[in-house]
Amino acid sequence: YRDLHTFELQAPTRVIEWARGSRVCVAGYGQSGGNEILQLLPPPALQAKETQGLCPERDFKVEGGGFSKRPVYSLKYVPDTSLLVTSGPPDSSLQVWQVSAEDSDVIKSVSTIATENATGQTWAKIATTSARGPWVLHGSTLDSVQITEVELRKNVYTAGSPDGEELAGLAFLDGSTAVLCCARGRLCVADVRQPQGALQALPAPAAPRGDRWCLGTACAAQGSGPGTQPVARLSSRGLLTLTDLRKASEPSASATAKVPSPGSGAEFLCVSWAPALQGCLAVSGFDGTVHVYDTQSWDSSGREAEPIFVHKGHALDGSGDPALVTVHTWHPQKPRTVLSAASDGSLHVWDWVQP
């Protein structure tokens, strides 16, 4: 490692979100209520533009917080605002939070975005953008996907799909296009300029039945189209596929992650592209590790790939069982800096040395 910082949370978290001024937001996912939402200021060494020497303060600082009565399974910062949006059981409604001004450390609930037939549906997957306004894209199934203007709580888009297949993830590709990933791996592309637009469905990857999938997208470069960056999908058996949406009839590359005992469990599957490191992605959710891969040499063979780095820093929990990494995310500017959290409440930020 070039650097490693650790922080112990009061409860396990499954969300890490970068907010204003390089702040980090995390939240608990316990079922008993009283789940904390915290805004953390990273260690000064992580905020410096250049690597510095010894730094007297190496810990995270809690800047603000609040409590959610429901588990927080997803949390997104609404760009260019002071708002957060969260989702979690028992239904697919969204909660909107205000991160207070500098003279207050309270994160307070300000509104709820209800969805049609929310009761009985799984929690909503969410994505946010400010490209055409403070929008949140959300849904738990293909036929429930919509975009809501957060501040006005006004619906601006509804996906024209009769298919009730469960969603595993969704993301904005740009201000006009969104991609949706079903739990069984099928991708759909939506043109959000059409208020009742039909979805363009793409073929599902060849994989054993019963596999569950998650989605990872890269931020498009300024002025580039929505298909210029590949979409990554990760299955519960460790299969990784990369898809160029400009020619999406089949994956442009595929590989198998080097993960132990892959199975059908997919609660914490996570795959993400490095925003400042060409062709690198990270994978977690199978055990207590985070694997980093360089995809630039991948082909369509699906053979096992060797990670270029494995983070093994999450310790055993109190019962002696290995901690499970619940989520990870990349630093938006520092190329090799990753944050990861685990089921034992540990939060790590680490930067590895390139071999």
Side-chain angles (χ1 to χ4, degrees):
Y1 294 95
R2 178 178 287 113
D3 209 356
L4 171 65
H5 303 266
T6 66
F7 185 72
E8 295 303 319
L9 300 167
Q10 293 297 312
T13 182
R14 59 187 294 165
V15 293
I16 302 174
E17 175 75 353
W18 290 100
R20 296 177 300 171
S22 293
R23 270 64 172 175
V24 177
C25 291
V26 298
Y29 63 91
Q31 300 294 329
S32 58
N35 293 287
E36 282 189 305
I37 299 177
L38 299 176
Q39 179 170 278
L40 306 175
L41 184 66
L46 190 63
Q47 301 174 62
K49 292 184 178 180
E50 297 180 0
T51 302
Q52 298 178 340
L54 291 175
C55 193
E57 180 58 61
R58 295 185 54 82
D59 211 347
F60 287 84
K61 177 184 177 183
V62 178
E63 279 203 322
F67 287 94
S68 171
K69 294 181 180 179
R70 60 172 68 203
V72 179
Y73 278 27
S74 186
L75 180 154
K76 296 294 180 183
Y77 167 63
V78 183
D80 302 326
T81 73
S82 59
L83 300 176
L84 303 173
V85 180
T86 64
S87 66
D91 56 40
S92 60
S93 64
L94 309 183
Q95 288 67 52
V96 182
W97 303 81
Q98 175 80 49
V99 180
S100 299
E102 294 181 0
D103 58 348
S104 173
D105 60 0
V106 176
I107 298 176
K108 60 182 179 180
S109 175
V110 292
S111 64
T112 297
I113 298 175
T115 55
E116 293 184 12
N117 304 318
T119 304
Q121 291 192 6
T122 60
W123 59 281
K125 283 65 180 179
I126 55 179
T128 55
T129 185
S130 63
R132 301 178 66 189
W135 285 2
V136 56
L137 171 69
H138 56 104
S140 56
T141 55
L142 269 182
D143 58 0
S144 69
V145 172
Q146 61 188 71
I147 295 175
T148 302
E149 207 282 2
V150 177
E151 295 173 330
L152 302 177
R153 285 181 285 168
K154 176 185 177 182
N155 178 273
V156 295
Y157 169 84
T158 300
S161 173
D163 193 328
E165 187 174 351
E166 180 185 352
L167 282 176
L170 40 72
F172 283 103
L173 296 175
D174 58 18
S176 304
T177 315
V179 63
L180 320 172
C181 179
C182 296
R184 292 184 296 209
R186 184 161 60 109
L187 289 180
C188 294
V189 178
D191 184 342
V192 303
R193 294 167 295 187
Q194 304 176 22
Q196 296 285 337
L199 301 177
Q200 176 193 356
L202 307 179
R209 289 182 62 86
D211 277 19
R212 294 179 65 85
W213 294 76
C214 69
L215 171 75
T217 58
C219 296
Q222 189 72 25
S224 63
T228 56
Q229 298 287 343
V231 172
R233 281 171 286 179
L234 169 67
S235 84
S236 51
R237 296 178 188 270
L239 178 63
L240 282 156
T241 66
L242 310 182
T243 302
D244 184 339
L245 294 179
R246 296 167 298 182
K247 40 185 178 181
S249 58
E250 59 183 30
S252 56
S254 63
T256 302
K258 199 168 186 177
V259 295
S261 305
S264 58
E267 183 177 10
F268 300 119
L269 284 185
C270 186
V271 57
S272 64
W273 285 103
L277 201 61
Q278 183 67 33
C280 279
L281 57 75
V283 166
S284 66
F286 295 93
D287 57 10
T289 65
V290 181
H291 289 204
V292 179
Y293 294 91
D294 184 349
T295 68
Q296 295 181 89
S297 62
W298 288 7
D299 54 25
S300 58
S301 66
R303 64 174 180 265
E304 186 174 88
E306 284 290 334
I308 60 174
F309 186 80
V310 180
H311 175 61
K312 302 178 181 179
H314 289 281
L316 297 179
D317 63 24
S319 64
D321 296 325
L324 175 64
V325 173
T326 54
V327 67
H328 73 264
T329 189
W330 295 81
H331 192 286
Q333 287 90 34
K334 293 180 177 288
R336 295 186 181 88
T337 299
V338 182
L339 280 78
S340 55
S343 55
D344 60 357
S346 57
L347 175 65
H348 291 180
V349 54
W350 39 278
D351 190 334
W352 82 93
V353 177
Q354 178 72 4

